[in-house]
Amino acid sequence: MNEDKNINDPNLGSILRLLRDIPILDVAPTDTPRTPISFALYDSGGVRRFYIFFNGNWRYVTLT
């Protein structure tokens, strides 16, 4: 893979900021985030989910 190509990607900085700032929540997210695409991790102690906000809705996958 050509890593030099990734350095020049104008979206890479935005993506890295989103991934760096993923909050870990103990309640499912409901608020609309400031960005059109956002991520959150949910951990209730028994259930773990990865949430993605896009197209105006939070969606999740359950992690095992």
Side-chain angles (χ1 to χ4, degrees):
M1 185 158 122
N2 184 354
E3 292 190 24
D4 292 333
K5 180 182 175 188
N6 293 334
I7 292 171
N8 296 321
D9 185 343
N11 296 316
L12 184 60
S14 298
I15 293 168
L16 290 176
R17 273 192 301 281
L18 283 172
L19 294 174
R20 180 189 66 214
D21 297 331
I22 294 176
I24 300 173
L25 309 172
D26 58 0
V27 294
T30 57
D31 294 339
T32 301
R34 289 176 284 190
T35 58
I37 298 174
S38 191
F39 303 99
L41 291 171
Y42 164 79
D43 186 352
S44 69
V47 175
R48 291 187 176 128
R49 295 178 179 159
F50 179 69
Y51 279 85
I52 304 169
F53 184 88
F54 66 97
N55 288 337
N57 292 300
W58 282 104
R59 304 179 193 291
Y60 69 86
V61 294
T62 302
L63 305 174
T64 59

